[in-house]
Every structure is written in structure tokens, then in C-alpha cells.
Amino acid sequence: EDQVTQSPEALRLQEGESSSLNCSYTVSGLRGLFWYRQDPGKGPEFLFTLYSAGEEKEKERLKATLTKKESFLHITAPKPEDSATYLCAGAPGGGYNKLIFGAGTRLAVHP
Amino acid sequence: GAGVSQTPSNKVTEKGKYVELRCDPISGHTALYWYRQSLGQGPEFLIYFQGTGAADDSGLPNDRFFAVRPEGSVSTLKIQRTERGDSAVYLCASSFTGRNNKAGELFFGEGSRLTVL
């Protein structure tokens, strides 16, 4: 069964304290690995797509990496506005129409 | 509007009642998706439309759930004989065609929060 597991469930950081979020996946014929950000009361917002092991993508203070079994979202020198839930999702082989989401990591960055 | 629009934003209903949730996708997006998100969980796939047709409805939990997209734009998710376990946020998303590598880049609406008493 396709599954995506994220850890930790929650993470509290001080402003400027770098850390990483983990996404472990078992998704048959993975076509792509996606990261989304979700603010309270809002829908998820697309961040990155990774297609193959070794690939990296960056955006401001965020960098996503992918191996054959897991993905990491590295947050460098976070700011309070980076506080959100970060969701990881895998697209199984056969198309991108059904994303398998993890439960997310709730990140809180305190000044 | 520029984004995916969902109405109502909140719906409170009684067990056994019928509910309709509406989604207006981004203009030009041919693919439309419905997901359901329970508290503390990630979104769970329900159904995917390519144009007017439901290309994959494997995520619909049972036959009380049905969705339509008659003109290839606006979609309605319909829930009959609602149960307390149906309470969740129902998210709609749209994207460019579901067949290329942009398809996983979903644009989500803010969701419709359904509460069944």
C-alpha cells in the first residue's frame, strides 16, 4: 500500500535556528515527490516537485532533496513567517492525478 | 477571480441531510480534484476530473458521495444522507492537464468546512 510518513509531527524553532523535516515514502513507481505549505484555515500551497533521487530544489530559505526512500525539507535561518504546516506528497506510477499526502509537520518559528 | 473558489466556506448540517459543495477552478485548468482533510491529517484524494469526465473516482468512500463537472469548469461535490464521520474540510484543486509533469502542481482553494451534527 502506498504510504507517506512525515516526521516530526511538530517542530518548534527559534528564529535563525536551521533544521530539517523528513518525509519517508513507499509509493509504487513514484512519478514525483511534492512539497506543499499550508497555513491555518487555508488550502495547501505548492512549493516544490522532485522527480529523481539526487535532485534538489531551492526557494528562499527552503531546500528540498530526494533519495530513493525519503525527502528532506531543509529550512535555513527560519523566520516567524515560515511557521506553517509542511506537507509532503507522492504521485504513484500511472499519473499525477492521485497524490498520497503525509500528515504534515507543524512548524512554529519563534522570534 | 485569480484562484480556486469554493463555496460555502462553512456548512453545518444535521445527520441524514443532503449537502452540495461547489468549486470554481482557475480559468484554463482542465484538471480538477477533490480532496478531504480531517483534523491533523493530510488531504485524502476523492476524485479527479479531466474536462467533463471523472477520470478517477477511486477515492470516493461510498455511494453517498458523487461529483459532477457538467461543462468542464465548475464542479459540485454531492453528499447524500450525511453522517457525523463526513465532517471534514473538503478541498478542491485545479491544475493544467493531468498528463504532464506540471499536473502535480495543484492550486487549492481554501476549502469548505463541513460539520455534521
Side-chain angles (χ1 to χ4, degrees):
Chain A
E1 181 183 350
D2 294 328
Q3 193 169 0
V4 173
T5 303
Q6 294 188 244
S7 61
E9 290 185 9
L11 181 62
R12 178 188 170 118
L13 298 174
Q14 289 298 120
E15 185 172 3
E17 179 187 3
S18 301
S19 188
S20 296
L21 313 183
N22 177 265
C23 170
S24 298
Y25 64 89
T26 51
V27 176
S28 56
L30 184 81
R31 295 288 298 275
L33 189 291
F34 302 85
W35 283 96
Y36 283 81
R37 169 189 170 130
Q38 186 172 27
D39 292 299
K42 306 291 186 182
E45 176 186 353
F46 170 78
L47 291 174
F48 302 110
T49 308
L50 301 165
Y51 293 107
S52 57
E55 189 175 0
E56 299 183 352
K57 293 276 181 72
E58 285 190 67
K59 180 180 179 180
E60 295 181 357
R61 295 176 293 282
L62 301 178
K63 183 169 80 171
T65 61
L66 182 65
T67 73
K68 290 187 177 180
K69 294 183 178 181
E70 55 193 350
S71 178
F72 293 93
L73 185 65
H74 306 278
I75 304 176
T76 302
K79 298 182 177 182
E81 53 262 42
D82 295 322
S83 299
T85 295
Y86 291 86
L87 296 164
C88 170
Y96 296 91
N97 53 284
K98 183 190 298 186
L99 296 186
I100 311 297
F101 279 89
T105 294
R106 294 189 312 279
L107 175 65
V109 182
H110 296 269
Chain B
V4 176
S5 177
Q6 292 189 245
T7 55
S9 54
N10 278 286
K11 176 70 176 179
V12 179
T13 191
E14 293 180 344
K15 181 175 178 295
K17 299 290 188 182
Y18 170 80
V19 166
E20 288 190 353
L21 307 175
R22 174 190 167 106
C23 173
D24 198 342
I26 292 172
S27 178
H29 282 185
T30 57
L32 184 145
Y33 312 78
W34 285 97
Y35 282 78
R36 178 169 71 174
Q37 187 173 26
S38 299
L39 190 64
Q41 300 299 314
E44 174 191 22
F45 172 81
L46 295 177
I47 188 170
Y48 153 63
F49 287 90
Q50 185 61 250
T52 60
D56 184 348
D57 65 357
S58 62
L60 295 178
N62 51 59
D63 61 5
R64 295 187 297 105
F65 288 75
F66 189 71
V68 295
R69 194 187 185 197
E71 298 179 354
S73 179
V74 171
S75 175
T76 304
L77 178 66
K78 308 181 180 192
I79 310 173
Q80 298 178 324
R81 304 183 304 280
T82 52
E83 300 178 355
R84 293 193 180 87
D86 299 335
S87 297
V89 175
Y90 289 81
L91 294 165
C92 178
S94 67
S95 75
F96 296 104
T97 179
R99 298 189 186 91
N100 65 24
N101 63 7
K102 290 284 189 183
E105 297 178 19
L106 304 185
F107 294 81
F108 282 89
E110 294 195 347
S112 292
R113 179 177 299 277
L114 175 65
T115 303
V116 182
L117 301 178

